[in-house]
Every structure is written in C-alpha cells, then in structure tokens.
Amino acid sequence: MKKKKKDKEQAVEDENKAPQNKDKVVGKVKLSDGIYFDDRRFGDNVLKSYCEVEISNITDTSFDFTVYEVNVPEGEENKKVIFLTNTAVFTDDGMKAAFYGKKYTLDFTFPNKHNAEPIVTDIEISGFEPLEGRTYVNNGIPGHEFG
C-alpha cells in the first residue's frame, strides 16, 4: 500500500493553463492512439529503464498524453506513471503541439524519420527531463509497421 502512495507522489501532476489555445489550430499530422516507445529499444538493445508516451483522445486540435517510466530489472517489466494524463494542443502551422501547464511546458515535434508524413510514427518531446533527447516511436500503425 505504501508503494502505491509513493508512486503517485512521484508522478508529475500538472494542470493545463486555461485557456490552452484561444485560436484553435487544426493539426496537419495524423496521430494514432497507442504507445510511443523509446526507439533505443530496437535491435539488440536491452534497456533496463526507459519511458513510453501513451497518446489517446485525439481530436482535430488536441490529444491527451500520459508518460510512463518502464523498468525491467531481471526481465520483469514494472511500469508506472511519471507524468499524469494531460492535453496537448496543436500549435503554429499544425505540425507541432504543446502542453502549457502551470509547472511545465512540453513541446511535441513530429520528425518524419520513417517517411510516413503526415502519419506520425515518431515523436520528440522537450520540456520534461526524462523525455529529453529521445525519439518515441509507434511501429504498430497499420500500413506503417517497421522494426
């Protein structure tokens, strides 16, 4: 019981600033619901700890995201939330997105590393240290599977 309380305390709880976006921007990229995982997991790389970003509730102007930390000590996966579910909105020309929180501002970019544009197979996120400098991929999008 204490462990669950401790895990919740470690999760970043941030709230969207209101209003997120006065002038709603329609996204020009096509996100898919699901898990985008650290691309360093490809190949023979066995990571003991990495992050995953779950994307859900996608609309024309926004999407929800949750960040998980995954630990794999001795082969058994342990997954916990480290950034609670919040909503990001599309910005600029609809090719980027952002979450404007009270404590954090996260910027989402969608590099075209797998030549799938406008379909998003790759996400890069800045503004939250555990996600910095990584690419998160979803290789389970129908018609855009890769390995």
Side-chain angles (χ1 to χ4, degrees), residues 4 6 23 25-26 28-29 38 59 69 79 81 83 100 102-104 109-110 114 119 124 126 134:
K4 284 187 178 182
K6 185 179 179 186
D23 302 318
V25 174
V26 174
K28 291 185 180 159
V29 295
D38 189 327
T59 71
E69 178 183 70
K79 186 172 174 176
V81 174
F83 201 101
Y100 303 104
K102 291 181 179 177
K103 298 177 187 172
Y104 293 91
T109 57
F110 310 104
H114 292 94
I119 294 172
E124 293 176 351
S126 61
R134 308 272 183 252

Side-chain angles (χ1 to χ4, degrees), residues 13-143:
E13 186 173 359
D14 203 350
E15 298 175 8
N16 291 2
K17 287 182 186 174
Q20 273 281 42
N21 227 4
K22 288 181 185 175
D23 302 318
K24 295 194 181 239
V25 174
V26 174
K28 291 185 180 159
V29 295
K30 302 218 181 294
L31 277 170
S32 294
D33 283 340
I35 299 291
Y36 287 75
F37 60 88
D38 189 327
D39 73 349
R40 295 176 302 154
R41 288 184 45 214
F42 281 122
D44 295 330
N45 296 329
V46 178
L47 301 177
K48 298 276 186 198
S49 180
Y50 56 92
C51 289
E52 293 180 344
V53 179
E54 182 175 13
I55 303 294
S56 60
N57 299 322
I58 301 163
T59 71
D60 288 345
T61 58
S62 67
F63 58 91
D64 289 349
F65 68 96
T66 308
V67 179
Y68 297 91
E69 178 183 70
V70 181
N71 289 299
V72 190
E74 300 173 26
E76 187 175 322
E77 184 177 290
N78 178 13
K79 186 172 174 176
K80 70 177 182 179
V81 174
I82 60 169
F83 201 101
L84 297 175
T85 304
N86 276 290
T87 302
V89 295
F90 291 105
T91 61
D92 298 329
D93 60 357
M95 298 293 285
K96 297 179 182 180
F99 163 71
Y100 303 104
K102 291 181 179 177
K103 298 177 187 172
Y104 293 91
T105 297
L106 275 62
D107 292 305
F108 295 76
T109 57
F110 310 104
N112 191 22
K113 293 184 177 186
H114 292 94
N115 297 318
E117 196 173 273
I119 294 172
V120 174
T121 57
D122 305 271
I123 300 175
E124 293 176 351
I125 305 168
S126 61
F128 184 56
E129 195 274 328
L131 301 175
E132 297 276 347
R134 308 272 183 252
T135 300
Y136 297 89
V137 299
N138 183 343
N139 66 342
I141 301 167

